[in-house]
Amino acid sequence: AATSFWAVIFLSALVLSRLIYALHLSPYRQIASPRVCKITRYWTLWHDIRLRRVQKIHEWHQLYGDVVLIAPGEVSFSDAVSTREIYGASCGHPKSRYFDNFLAYSSRSVFCTLGVKEHQEVLKRTIAFYKPTSVFKSAMLQPVRDNVKKTLNQLARRTENGHATLDILTVCNFFSFDNITRLLYGPDLCTRTIEHESCFERTILAGWITVELWNNLLYNFPVAHKAIKAIFSYYSDKPDFLVAHDKLADWNMRRVDAALRKPADMAADSLLHMLSTAKTHDGEPLPKSWIAAELLDNIHAAQSTVALALTYVFWNLTNCPEWQSRIREELSAMPLKEDGLPAFSFLQSAPILDACITESSRLHPLSSGRAERVVPASRAYNGIVLPANTVVSTSTLAIHHRPEVFPDPQAYKPERWLHAKGEVLRVMQSCYIPFGYGARLCLGKPFAQASIKHLVAGILMQFEVCIDPRSGTTGRTMAQLGTQNALPRGRRCYQEIKSRRGRLYYAPFASSAASQLPSGLLHARINRPQFLRIAPVSSDCFVNLYKKPYSWSLFNTTKLAYSRESAKRLLRFVTSSTAPSSNPPETSTISPARSRASSSLTGTSEDRPEEMAAVDGRSRGYSLGGPASGMGHRPSLNENVRSTSNNSNSSAGNSGSTSFCSANLGEAKPLASANGVSMSITLAEPMLFLQGFDQSELGNRTTSMLRGSLQLKVSKSAKLKTISLNFRGRAETEWPEGIPPRKTEFKDKESIMNHTWPFFNAQFQTAEYGSGADVVRPLKGPSTTTKELGVSASPAIDHLRRNSGAANLSPKDAKRLSLQVSQSRSFGKGDSGTGSVAQKGYRTFTPGDYIYNFELPIDSRLPETIDVELGKVRYELEATIERSGAFRANLVGSKEVLLIRAPAEGSLEQVEPIAISRNWEDQLHYDIVISGKSFPLGAQVPIAFKLTPLAKVQCHRIKVFLTENIQYYTSNKRVHRLEPTRKMQLFEKRADAPSSSAYPGSSVRITAGGGVSFDSREAARQGNENIDRDQTNLLGNLEGGHNVGPTEMEFSVQLPNCAAMSERDRSQGVHFDTTYHNIQVNHWIKIVMRLSKPDQIDPSKRRHFEISIDSPLHILSCRATQANIALPAYTSPESVTLLTEHAECGCPGAQRRRNDPSSLLSQIQTTNESSTSLDNDENFSPGLTRPQAAHINDPNSGFSRPIHLLRAPSFNPPAFEETEPPPPMMTPPPQYDSIVDGDPRSGLADYFSRLADEVGDDGMNSVTRSRIDIPLTPGGRINRSMDERRTWLPLGHTH
């Protein structure tokens, strides 16, 4: 009893001393926290086992502030400053022993390496593999895109009935697992869980979620975890309980063994191949156990991170469907690749998509955030001093929910990332750490982000994700647990997936109900009595088309159209059974009985919805197919846009209206013609200019507009089935292999974009009523344009209509013209006059001209037109006219479209100089200024030299070179070809001979020094080289004591032009810089100066040296001249010839081009001449001589203008006295004599007295003459008023 008593006393004393130390003597006593956390760590441990540790720490931060003691010796932070101090690259905090739980095969991977130096050593083995420049290559991302397509196909199969409820978490698990195994093992050893439903890996993934729930017990009480695992395996019917981790480890080791046994079969782009060829610092191969541990750790990290991120992105978008619509809007504006997905470069710069993903990761972090570090030495964090060996960490959940940084932190608000700017955005980014922070940031972050963006974009483009209230998935089940990978509480995320491919249904016309129809994928041109629609509607949808008692609903549907041909036959059947035969559509009536007699049709989910024609009468046009088409409609170029040919046929009163879109058909060269039908394409601009070179400029999303008209000339009646125009861009790269005669050549072709305008199709409903042309010009009659509802004509158009001579037609002529453009009712042999156009399969086009306008925005991020030796990028418009009849050949013609790369709109490359200022061995100081960073081919490069000798140095010659580097990437960038660097000498200035230029046009001017005599200086400034000068030194004779000073020269170096390159071999030509990732062309300018100085040993001899200065230079296309890419000069109204007399390029002797449409200018001139309002205008003064427009350095104009004169001067400004002077100042300025003492007439005295005060008394005793050089280089101009050169006398000479 006595022993027990003293034992109790002893234990009580221990507990009391522990309490006193923890609460009053511990170094952590000042840190706010629950008192129980200051005494023991088991309170936090209890919440960890309950999977509530992360949420509990967040609650404590909300109660106690940014610094919380969560256990004795463990501190948690939630502010950005402490986070930077803990995880910064220079802080040197090692990881805690918590990461021992992630050992595999008794080896430490990069993730669980504790020490800082050890981590830096092992990080070198894998960091290069996960760099963004490596991950974002096409070869690395192509497997991800393939897995996206596989996932979309699986979802399409599951949603055959229009919708299905699926577990998004499982779908994302399969997607992320296949992605990471392909990246780690290569194509032969990777998994295919997306496609194979019964594969072994799916069972591992299913059991892995259960393992995650029990891992916290394993980390804290491994013995208890082992006992529970054994009990469950022995007594229950689940022998595989908690063995998924062991199965995955065995599976991984078998993969590694199989790969190492056959190293030649390993994929070169896999991490396994990279690690198998790496060496330790001792030169030994890496241990197999370490390679397997690193691969297993990568699987754990990437699979869980990507799957959970994707799951919560879709969950948040489900609760905010408006953001789904905004993402689809953004994606619809992007050009698509052949696989139907936007290129990753577009996804990477999609702000709305990025904001939604970022906000989802902020609201639901990707892991538990238990990134513990150990304090190496006692130091202060957030004003609190912590002793060494303290475990510190940042709560990811708490820092992501700081209300002062993220207002309303519990709400999903992607707009916070879109609207934040400047300092606000910087603070938000500093508090956003889903992938970690600092030196140990997640290596797989770029790959994870690429995978997430690809799948989100792919699913939202084809499906709609909705909440299924019957699934049981709620906000409570989606709350995150405190596991290492932050699983959702319900371990499932069931969501309803609805296909957006749509259903095909038919309904009679009802104008009052047309606006109630579901928004479809295709729209028609104008309202019609009957129409077909493709829209994403469910099978139980009810559409009320009429007011009571009439109603119409969708029936349960079946698959009727499995292919494009089936869809055509289906449409042909419906349109033929409902189209009117003779009554005009405006007067046809629909009986209620017929209105209700409608049928419901279904298109398969495998078919592209764009391949079925659908018309509803609400918009001007439609687009089919094509990556860049999106939802873009075909607009008109003229003011009176198209309705249909039916309107133009029935009304001849508007036949006199002038069409601004129609070009003169006689001037357009026909692309194809046969049997009385010819077609041509006229472009409004002969070439398009894409702005920007680097990613920051391309991210501005600027566009160029491709516009023009397809002109169809029919000289005799023709039966046409379809009229379409296709714009496509294709890239082709070649790479030869071998040596002749066994030399083989391979070609890699890539489709950049594809867009189709289906102007006319006999199977479309609109074919019943007209040709669909914007402008119809019947043979021997005036043109007839159409008009769209809701568009008002401008005053300029009305003015032209009033002055048109065709407005005074007699009723007889109007009737005759109306009959000429109406549909032919005569039938040939074998023709039937009773069927509709869809039944016949063609429409008869009467003689005349049919003009179809088109317009398409071209994204500046597309590659420009390229034509180099082993590759090219080409864009073309291909028009196709399909004719009816067995022996009638179809017409196909193409026209190339040139896309030229130009600097961005706000770029200063063409005016910002390249300045070099250096000393050479204390012998020579040289200043070189190149007046610009980009120049078009055919232009001159101004280079200014200022050479100041510091000793008796000689400059013998100066050479200017242009180097060109061309790189080719093919086969998804698995093959790289680097062409030998081409070095071309452009100009050479020698001391002993006249200057030489590779291309005519270069010149040199010596503006100062250079050994030029006084009498010859004016000629030297004019560029005359036949003068007396020193023949050994470009700097002049430095032996004497006179004529010593800086030498200033100005070179104008001529770049090759079209004519010069056409006379040489193609391999010797110069190509402009490119931005295409598979064909990269860049240039450098190289300046070489040959110098010599006396030998130190033998002064009678000289030692020669060469100085080389290299600088990158952008070479533009010769068409990218200022006259083409800048706005036109302000000119008088009648000088419209300036619009049509530009040269094709900036090269001398270039051909003049004439802008299309050519008839536009003649119409304006005719209108101006016949207009009475302009003649009576008071401000119109035709008698004055107007100033000549100032075009910029156009070699074809015969004169040059300075680069800063961009516009023509203003014409006829108001008189000076007409402008009212400003009111007098309330306080007049003081008089001069009130400020300066003395005689006000001696103002210079005050100036020199102030100058003496600035200089001081030093140097006032000896007065010497000196010269102040005014810099003449473009980068050093002081004031333009000082540009006039001041001559100066050499020292020691008098005249």
Side-chain angles (χ1 to χ4, degrees):
T3 304
S4 301
F5 173 76
W6 287 109
V8 171
I9 294 296
F10 180 72
L11 291 176
S12 300
L14 286 179
V15 172
L16 183 61
S17 63
R18 175 64 183 170
L19 291 175
I20 295 174
Y21 176 80
L23 298 177
H24 302 285
L25 301 177
S26 171
Y28 308 106
R29 64 185 181 277
Q30 301 297 333
I31 304 176
S33 70
R35 289 191 176 184
V36 66
C37 294
K38 294 183 178 181
I39 300 171
T40 178
R41 70 183 184 93
Y42 289 102
W43 183 241
T44 304
L45 190 62
W46 166 246
H47 291 296
D48 194 14
I49 296 175
R50 293 179 59 238
L51 307 181
R52 290 279 302 163
R53 173 191 172 100
V54 177
Q55 290 73 20
K56 205 64 182 177
I57 293 176
H58 180 210
E59 294 175 6
W60 292 341
H61 277 291
Q62 290 178 322
L63 289 174
Y64 300 107
D66 294 339
V67 186
V68 176
L69 183 70
I70 60 177
E74 296 185 30
V75 182
S76 175
F77 297 88
S78 65
D79 63 295
V81 177
S82 300
T83 301
R84 185 167 58 251
E85 293 177 352
I86 295 171
Y87 302 103
S90 60
C91 297
H93 288 60
K95 287 189 173 183
S96 69
R97 285 293 174 180
Y98 168 74
F99 292 92
D100 291 344
N101 297 307
F102 303 98
L103 291 175
Y105 314 110
S106 301
S107 299
R108 290 187 181 274
S109 62
V110 175
F111 177 69
C112 58
T113 302
L114 303 183
V116 177
K117 293 184 178 179
E118 293 82 357
H119 175 261
Q120 292 175 351
E121 184 66 28
V122 298
L123 185 64
K124 298 176 182 178
R125 303 171 184 174
T126 58
I127 188 172
F129 185 80
Y130 282 109
K131 282 185 177 180
T133 54
S134 301
V135 172
F136 293 161
K137 292 181 179 179
S138 300
M140 301 286 278
L141 293 180
Q142 189 57 44
V144 177
R145 301 174 70 90
D146 295 340
N147 287 331
V148 171
K149 295 301 295 181
K150 294 176 184 177
T151 303
L152 296 180
N153 292 335
Q154 292 295 320
L155 294 179
R157 185 178 60 84
R158 298 287 296 274
T159 58
E160 287 182 347
N161 294 327
H163 63 92
T165 300
L166 304 174
D167 180 16
I168 289 294
L169 178 58
T170 302
V171 173
C172 298
N173 258 332
F174 297 156
F175 171 75
S176 60
F177 194 69
D178 286 357
N179 281 342
I180 188 59
T181 55
R182 171 61 180 84
L183 186 70
L184 299 182
Y185 305 106
D188 297 332
L189 299 176
C190 68
T191 60
R192 292 173 175 82
T193 57
I194 299 175
E195 304 167 282
H196 302 162
E197 298 183 359
S198 59
C199 62
F200 171 71
E201 292 81 3
R202 281 199 175 191
T203 61
I204 296 179
L205 293 177
W208 181 254
I209 296 179
T210 306
V211 172
E212 276 283 314
L213 300 178
W214 290 86
N215 273 346
N216 286 16
L217 179 64
L218 172 65
Y219 300 155
N220 296 287
F221 301 101
V223 177
H225 180 273
K226 187 175 182 180
I228 293 175
K229 177 180 177 181
I231 293 172
F232 266 86
S233 301
Y234 185 79
Y235 289 102
S236 69
D237 56 349
K238 297 180 179 179
D240 294 337
F241 183 71
L242 300 182
V243 298
H245 181 274
D246 301 331
K247 287 185 177 180
L248 183 60
D250 294 339
W251 175 88
N252 175 61
M253 183 57 77
R254 290 197 301 271
R255 286 289 198 276
V256 174
D257 288 335
L260 294 180
R261 282 196 299 267
K262 297 181 179 179
D265 296 340
M266 280 191 290
D269 58 346
S270 64
L271 180 61
L272 179 57
H273 178 269
M274 182 178 180
L275 295 179
S276 63
T277 57
K279 305 291 183 182
T280 64
H281 62 278
D282 297 329
E284 298 293 331
L286 297 178
K288 183 178 72 173
S289 59
W290 189 90
I291 295 176
E294 182 65 21
L295 296 179
L296 184 63
D297 175 74
N298 279 247
I299 292 176
H300 288 162
Q303 187 270 334
S304 302
T305 300
V306 175
L308 286 173
L310 284 167
T311 301
Y312 280 104
V313 167
F314 288 119
W315 167 251
N316 291 310
L317 292 177
T318 299
N319 292 280
C320 301
E322 66 275 7
W323 286 102
Q324 290 191 48
S325 303
R326 293 188 64 177
I327 292 177
R328 290 191 192 97
E329 248 182 75
E330 186 176 55
L331 297 176
S332 65
M334 299 179 183
L336 307 182
K337 302 189 75 174
E338 292 181 349
D339 55 6
L341 297 174
F344 179 66
S345 58
F346 293 96
L347 296 178
Q348 198 174 14
S349 59
I352 298 178
L353 176 64
D354 186 71
C356 291
I357 295 174
T358 302
E359 178 67 3
S360 178
S361 299
R362 182 202 66 83
L363 194 60
H364 300 94
L366 309 180
S367 66
S368 65
R370 193 171 176 179
E372 296 178 355
R373 299 291 187 269
V374 179
V375 177
S378 178
R379 58 176 297 179
Y381 300 87
N382 202 349
I384 298 176
V385 178
L386 298 180
N389 299 322
T390 303
V391 177
V392 292
S393 62
T394 294
S395 172
T396 306
L397 189 63
I399 197 173
H400 281 191
H401 287 73
R402 293 178 65 89
E404 63 273 16
V405 179
F406 305 101
D408 196 5
Q410 300 295 335
Y412 180 74
K413 294 183 175 181
E415 63 268 18
R416 71 172 89 240
W417 299 98
L418 296 173
H419 300 158
K421 304 293 182 183
E423 183 65 18
V424 176
L425 180 61
R426 189 194 65 79
V427 173
M428 291 172 59
Q429 291 173 344
S430 65
C431 293
Y432 177 74
I433 54 171
F435 292 95
Y437 186 92
R440 306 196 74 159
L441 184 72
C442 177
L443 289 179
K445 177 183 176 181
F447 182 74
Q449 290 178 332
S451 303
I452 293 169
K453 290 185 177 182
H454 274 100
L455 187 63
V456 172
I459 289 182
L460 293 185
M461 288 175 66
Q462 297 192 18
F463 300 94
E464 186 176 349
V465 187
C466 309
I467 296 177
D468 187 357
R470 299 168 297 180
S471 65
T473 300
T474 61
R476 185 175 182 276
T477 63
M478 290 301 296
Q480 289 183 288
L481 297 175
T483 59
Q484 175 64 25
N485 293 316
L487 290 170
R489 184 189 185 97
R491 291 176 288 172
R492 294 289 185 272
C493 182
Y494 288 103
Q495 292 179 329
E496 186 178 11
I497 309 297
K498 294 182 180 180
S499 175
R500 297 186 70 250
R501 291 180 178 270
R503 294 175 176 274
L504 177 65
Y505 61 87
Y506 167 78
F509 173 74
S511 59
S512 62
S515 60
Q516 303 175 5
L517 292 176
S519 59
L521 296 177
L522 301 179
H523 301 280
R525 299 175 179 173
I526 65 166
N527 291 321
R528 293 300 179 202
Q530 294 86 23
F531 56 91
L532 296 172
R533 286 299 307 264
I534 294 179
V537 296
S538 60
S539 58
D540 54 352
C541 174
F542 178 84
V543 183
N544 185 11
L545 290 180
Y546 300 101
K547 298 179 181 180
K548 293 182 179 180
Y550 305 114
S551 64
W552 176 80
S553 62
L554 291 175
F555 297 94
N556 291 331
T557 58
T558 57
K559 296 181 183 178
L560 297 179
Y562 288 88
S563 64
R564 183 173 183 176
E565 295 301 324
S566 301
K568 286 184 177 180
R569 290 194 295 270
L570 186 64
L571 292 168
R572 192 178 300 120
F573 168 76
V574 175
T575 54
S576 63
S577 61
T578 59
S581 59
S582 59
N583 295 333
E586 289 78 0
T587 59
S588 61
T589 58
I590 305 172
S591 63
R594 185 175 180 181
S595 301
R596 293 189 295 269
S598 59
S599 58
S600 175
L601 308 173
T602 303
T604 63
S605 61
E606 289 82 359
D607 295 335
R608 291 181 61 88
E610 296 88 345
E611 293 176 353
M612 297 185 180
V615 290
D616 67 359
R618 282 199 299 270
S619 71
R620 304 184 283 185
Y622 48 85
S623 297
L624 295 185
S629 61
M631 291 295 295
H633 304 299
R634 177 166 69 93
S636 293
L637 294 178
N638 56 332
E639 189 69 20
N640 293 326
V641 293
R642 174 206 325 116
S643 60
T644 58
S645 296
N646 184 52
N647 279 343
S648 60
N649 296 348
S650 59
S651 63
N654 295 333
S655 60
S657 61
T658 304
S659 172
F660 270 68
C661 68
S662 59
N664 191 347
L665 293 177
E667 296 183 5
K669 182 180 179 181
L671 301 178
S673 61
N675 298 327
V677 179
S678 64
M679 64 177 179
S680 60
I681 297 176
T682 303
L683 296 177
E685 293 85 15
M687 63 196 75
L688 302 180
F689 294 93
L690 308 178
Q691 294 185 355
F693 281 94
D694 53 23
Q695 292 298 325
S696 60
E697 295 175 342
L698 297 179
N700 295 332
R701 302 291 298 274
T702 58
T703 58
S704 298
M705 193 63 66
L706 171 66
R707 52 181 181 166
S709 59
L710 171 64
Q711 303 164 354
L712 179 64
K713 188 176 184 64
V714 181
S715 58
K716 61 181 180 179
S717 297
K719 302 173 183 178
L720 305 183
K721 299 168 65 175
T722 61
I723 301 174
S724 63
L725 181 66
N726 176 256
F727 176 70
R728 62 172 177 261
R730 293 183 179 179
E732 182 178 306
T733 311
E734 305 175 2
W735 68 97
E737 294 183 358
I739 301 174
R742 296 186 178 182
K743 182 178 180 181
T744 57
E745 293 187 359
F746 300 91
K747 291 185 179 181
D748 184 16
K749 297 182 180 180
E750 180 183 0
S751 177
I752 299 175
M753 73 171 302
N754 194 359
H755 183 88
T756 301
W757 292 276
F759 293 131
F760 173 79
N761 193 317
Q763 304 301 325
F764 289 174
Q765 187 75 9
T766 52
E768 302 288 342
Y769 314 109
S771 62
D774 293 283
V775 179
V776 177
R777 289 177 176 172
L779 192 63
K780 299 180 182 179
S783 64
T784 303
T785 59
T786 60
K787 184 175 183 180
E788 185 182 20
L789 297 177
V791 179
S792 60
S794 63
I797 303 298
D798 294 335
H799 172 73
L800 291 177
R801 288 176 179 171
R802 290 193 299 268
N803 290 278
S804 177
N808 300 321
L809 293 176
S810 64
K812 183 177 180 181
D813 294 336
K815 183 177 181 180
R816 177 180 59 82
L817 294 176
S818 176
L819 291 176
Q820 285 183 346
V821 297
S822 62
Q823 183 176 355
S824 175
R825 298 299 178 185
S826 61
F827 306 101
K829 183 178 180 180
D831 294 342
S832 175
T834 58
S836 63
V837 172
Q839 287 178 321
K840 295 186 296 184
Y842 65 87
R843 179 181 179 85
T844 302
F845 279 63
T846 57
D849 298 333
Y850 301 83
I851 300 178
Y852 299 87
N853 296 320
F854 59 87
E855 190 174 78
L856 178 68
I858 305 298
D859 198 297
S860 62
R861 289 173 291 185
L862 290 176
E864 60 279 352
T865 301
I866 304 173
D867 186 11
V868 290
E869 187 175 2
L870 297 179
K872 62 182 178 180
V873 175
R874 178 184 173 91
Y875 298 88
E876 64 180 3
L877 287 165
E878 183 179 85
T880 304
I881 299 178
E882 188 177 356
R883 308 181 66 183
S884 177
F887 301 100
R888 297 290 185 181
N890 298 332
L891 298 183
V892 179
S894 62
K895 182 183 183 70
E896 184 178 6
V897 179
L898 294 178
L899 269 59
I900 308 299
R901 179 69 57 184
E905 185 175 355
S907 174
L908 300 177
E909 284 192 351
Q910 292 185 304
V911 295
E912 187 177 6
I914 303 172
I916 303 104
S917 179
R918 296 174 186 171
N919 283 341
W920 176 70
E921 296 185 357
D922 295 332
Q923 300 285 323
L924 177 71
H925 177 81
Y926 57 90
D927 295 295
I928 304 175
V929 177
I930 305 172
S931 301
K933 297 181 180 178
S934 64
F935 297 91
L937 289 171
Q940 292 184 351
V941 181
I943 307 176
F945 294 85
K946 183 177 181 180
L947 309 178
T948 305
L950 306 178
K952 294 183 179 181
V953 64
Q954 292 185 1
C955 180
H956 302 283
R957 58 176 174 264
I958 300 176
K959 295 181 180 180
V960 180
F961 296 90
L962 182 68
T963 60
E964 182 179 71
N965 301 301
I966 303 179
Q967 300 182 67
Y968 300 95
Y969 294 91
T970 59
S971 187
N972 291 327
K973 285 205 170 181
R974 289 193 294 268
V975 179
H976 176 215
R977 178 187 179 95
L978 178 62
E979 290 290 296
T981 301
R982 296 179 54 244
K983 184 178 177 182
M984 296 157 285
Q985 178 176 318
L986 300 179
F987 185 77
E988 181 181 13
K989 172 61 177 176
R990 301 176 62 95
D992 56 352
S995 60
S996 61
S997 175
Y999 302 96
S1002 300
S1003 62
V1004 58
R1005 297 189 308 117
I1006 303 176
T1007 57
V1012 180
S1013 61
F1014 179 80
D1015 298 333
S1016 303
R1017 286 180 182 174
E1018 184 62 30
R1021 292 191 191 100
Q1022 301 298 327
N1024 187 0
E1025 296 189 58
N1026 297 323
I1027 56 177
D1028 294 333
R1029 55 185 174 85
D1030 194 287
Q1031 298 295 319
T1032 60
N1033 190 0
L1034 290 175
L1035 306 179
N1037 185 8
L1038 304 181
E1039 297 297 334
H1042 63 279
N1043 203 15
V1044 176
T1047 297
E1048 298 181 12
M1049 295 180 288
E1050 295 182 1
F1051 291 2
S1052 294
V1053 180
Q1054 179 69 45
L1055 292 176
N1057 51 51
C1058 296
M1061 289 190 292
S1062 63
E1063 298 174 356
R1064 305 191 180 191
D1065 186 18
R1066 180 177 180 180
S1067 60
Q1068 298 179 359
V1070 178
H1071 196 278
F1072 48 82
D1073 284 27
T1074 64
T1075 59
Y1076 184 42
H1077 57 86
N1078 280 349
I1079 305 175
Q1080 299 180 7
V1081 182
N1082 53 76
H1083 296 85
W1084 288 66
I1085 189 170
K1086 186 183 187 72
I1087 300 174
V1088 178
M1089 293 191 295
R1090 184 68 178 267
L1091 306 174
S1092 67
K1093 66 177 183 178
D1095 191 3
Q1096 295 181 355
I1097 300 176
D1098 186 2
S1100 61
K1101 298 181 180 179
R1102 304 190 67 86
R1103 299 184 61 186
H1104 290 260
F1105 303 88
E1106 279 195 350
I1107 301 177
S1108 178
I1109 300 103
D1110 297 82
S1111 177
L1113 193 71
H1114 270 157
I1115 299 298
L1116 310 178
S1117 170
C1118 60
R1119 295 177 172 86
T1121 59
Q1122 286 289 335
N1124 289 338
I1125 64 178
L1127 292 176
Y1130 298 122
T1131 57
S1132 58
E1134 71 266 20
S1135 58
V1136 295
T1137 55
L1138 292 174
L1139 298 175
T1140 60
E1141 291 186 358
H1142 292 309
E1144 287 286 350
C1145 62
C1147 302
Q1151 296 181 356
R1152 299 288 177 176
R1153 63 175 172 86
R1154 188 173 182 86
N1155 285 352
D1156 295 324
S1158 57
S1159 61
L1160 169 62
L1161 301 174
S1162 60
Q1163 291 172 2
I1164 296 178
Q1165 290 176 341
T1166 304
T1167 304
N1168 290 336
E1169 293 173 0
S1170 60
S1171 173
T1172 57
S1173 61
L1174 291 179
D1175 293 339
N1176 297 329
D1177 192 355
E1178 297 178 357
N1179 296 326
F1180 185 70
S1181 304
L1184 296 178
T1185 303
R1186 299 182 179 275
Q1188 191 171 7
H1191 285 289
I1192 303 165
N1193 197 18
D1194 186 359
N1196 302 288
S1197 62
F1199 63 92
S1200 299
R1201 296 298 301 266
I1203 197 169
H1204 61 278
L1205 296 180
L1206 299 180
R1207 297 289 180 265
S1210 301
F1211 169 72
N1212 196 20
F1216 181 76
E1217 57 271 9
E1218 291 185 7
T1219 304
E1220 296 183 1
M1225 298 178 60
M1226 299 298 296
T1227 303
Q1231 297 295 328
Y1232 189 81
D1233 54 2
S1234 63
I1235 299 177
V1236 180
D1237 296 334
D1239 188 1
R1241 292 174 295 179
S1242 59
L1244 292 179
D1246 174 68
Y1247 168 76
F1248 286 112
S1249 64
R1250 292 175 183 269
L1251 182 62
D1253 293 339
E1254 293 291 335
V1255 176
D1257 296 335
D1258 297 339
M1260 294 297 294
N1261 297 329
S1262 60
V1263 180
T1264 58
R1265 296 178 178 269
S1266 63
R1267 178 172 57 89
I1268 300 177
D1269 286 336
I1270 304 301
L1272 296 181
T1273 57
R1277 292 186 184 272
I1278 295 179
N1279 193 297
R1280 294 194 180 278
S1281 63
M1282 304 183 70
D1283 283 354
E1284 182 66 26
R1285 183 66 182 173
R1286 271 71 170 176
T1287 60
W1288 56 280
L1289 297 178
L1291 298 178
H1293 283 248
T1294 58
H1295 293 276

